[in-house]
């Protein structure tokens, strides 16, 4: 049960070694830098050191209680990430698959709009643009 | 009281610094914003549209009407875009 913020890439297989021992179901989600316009070279992710770790731990603990998780892990990167690089991962372990899937979905909804990260798109021409929050991400929280 | 005020993302860019230590008599976050906005044009520009401003008090999300009593660190930032 842990949350981490880091600049280097993570290795999903290494993260899962020994994760969720004894669980009947493990779900993982990995977010990857995507280029929707063909003009983007990289994403820069800023965060609030101190608060970020605290928020991720709080959301993980909330998910564990709500979905009876036997284990959970959140890894979120910051700094400059090229298109195609992994940004973050969540892993959830539970007795049954529904709880594991739902907990991962729940954590993603919280991370999207309640964890202190801010994305900035860097174009091939070097121009930078802060990514706006989506109303749909905010709405997604009301499901829970 | 003395407060450490932190700025992130485009609020940091508009204000031109990531943090500052200030003296204020503000009772709520909204009062603090009014105090900061009156200091110079950069602060005023950063806080021009409060619908786009979120805040945290001692690293916990809070709303703009929250009281500042006992708080040491206030952070201002746009809506978060994690994940």
């Amino acid at each position: 049960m842990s949350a981490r913020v880091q600049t280097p890439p993570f290795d999903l297989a290494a993260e899962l070694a020994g994760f969720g021992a004894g669980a009947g179901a493990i779900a993982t989600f990995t977010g990857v830098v995507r280029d929707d316009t063909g003009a983007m070279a990289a994403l820069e992710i800023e965060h609030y050191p101190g608060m970020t770790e605290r928020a991720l731990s709080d959301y993980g603990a909330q998910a564990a209680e709500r979905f009876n998780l036997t284990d959970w892990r959140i890894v979120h990167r910051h700094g400059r990430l090229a298109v195609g690089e992994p940004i973050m991962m969540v892993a959830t372990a539970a007795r049954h698959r529904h709880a594991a899937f739902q907990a991962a979905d729940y954590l993603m909804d919280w991370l999207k709009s309640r964890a202190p990260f801010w994305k900035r798109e860097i174009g091939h021409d070097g121009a930078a643009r802060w990514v706006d929050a989506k109303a749909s991400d905010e709405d997604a929280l009301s499901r829970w | 009281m003395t407060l450490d005020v932190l700025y992130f993302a485009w609020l940091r860019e508009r204000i031109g610094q990531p943090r500052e230590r200030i003296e204020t008599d503000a009772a709520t976050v909204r009062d603090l914003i009014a105090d900061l906005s009156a200091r110079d044009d950069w602060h005023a520009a950063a806080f021009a549209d409060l619908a786009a401003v979120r805040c945290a008090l001692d690293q916990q999300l809070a709303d703009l009407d929250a009281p500042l009593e006992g708080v040491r660190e206030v952070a201002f930032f746009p809506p978060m875009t994690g994940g």
Side-chain angles (χ1 to χ4, degrees):
Chain A
M1 306 195 191
S2 68
R4 276 190 352 256
V5 186
Q6 62 185 40
T7 48
F10 51 83
D11 175 348
L12 187 60
E15 297 294 340
L16 293 179
F19 176 84
I26 293 173
T28 70
F29 171 86
T30 304
V32 177
V33 180
R34 182 187 68 226
D35 175 16
D36 288 336
T37 61
M40 200 175 99
L43 204 57
E44 266 180 11
I45 301 178
E46 179 173 336
H47 80 111
Y48 182 173
M51 177 172 169
T52 311
E53 292 81 353
R54 179 187 290 198
L56 298 184
S57 295
D58 286 352
Y59 303 148
Q62 284 168 28
E65 182 170 343
R66 180 164 178 159
F67 300 101
N68 262 320
L69 299 181
T70 56
D71 204 354
W72 57 270
R73 180 164 303 176
I74 303 169
V75 181
H76 203 303
R77 298 175 68 192
H78 65 98
R80 182 178 281 230
L81 308 179
V83 171
E85 281 195 68
I87 304 173
M88 53 83 58
M89 59 155 285
V90 301
T92 55
R95 287 181 56 75
H96 300 289
R97 75 178 186 281
H98 283 305
F101 277 132
Q102 276 205 299
D105 204 15
Y106 171 93
L107 281 173
M108 287 312 303
D109 280 346
W110 280 90
L111 298 193
K112 280 274 175 195
S113 39
R114 291 291 186 277
F117 291 99
W118 300 277
K119 292 190 182 116
R120 183 159 61 165
E121 294 178 355
I122 311 297
H124 290 297
D125 59 359
R129 189 188 72 83
W130 291 102
V131 175
D132 289 327
K134 292 194 191 79
S136 56
D137 287 338
E138 186 66 32
D139 294 345
L141 276 180
S142 62
R143 291 194 293 148
W144 310 104
Chain B
M1 73 185 133
T2 305
L3 283 179
D4 286 319
V5 185
L6 280 63
Y7 307 104
F8 292 95
W10 55 256
L11 274 110
R12 170 177 52 70
E13 293 180 332
R14 286 187 196 175
I15 287 165
Q17 55 187 353
R19 63 189 305 151
E20 57 187 330
R21 179 164 288 177
I22 63 152
E23 285 296 326
T24 182
D25 296 324
T28 67
V29 177
R30 217 175 274 280
D31 296 341
L32 174 62
I33 290 172
D35 180 342
L36 292 168
S37 297
R39 295 185 179 210
D40 59 47
D41 290 347
W42 294 282
H43 286 84
F47 292 114
D49 176 15
L50 291 188
V53 174
R54 302 288 181 272
C55 85
L57 303 180
D58 290 330
Q59 305 191 351
Q60 299 278 359
L61 294 173
D63 72 46
L64 299 185
D65 294 312
L68 291 175
E69 192 179 351
V71 169
R72 294 297 319 271
E73 181 177 291
V74 180
F76 291 107
F77 41 80
M80 294 153 274
T81 51

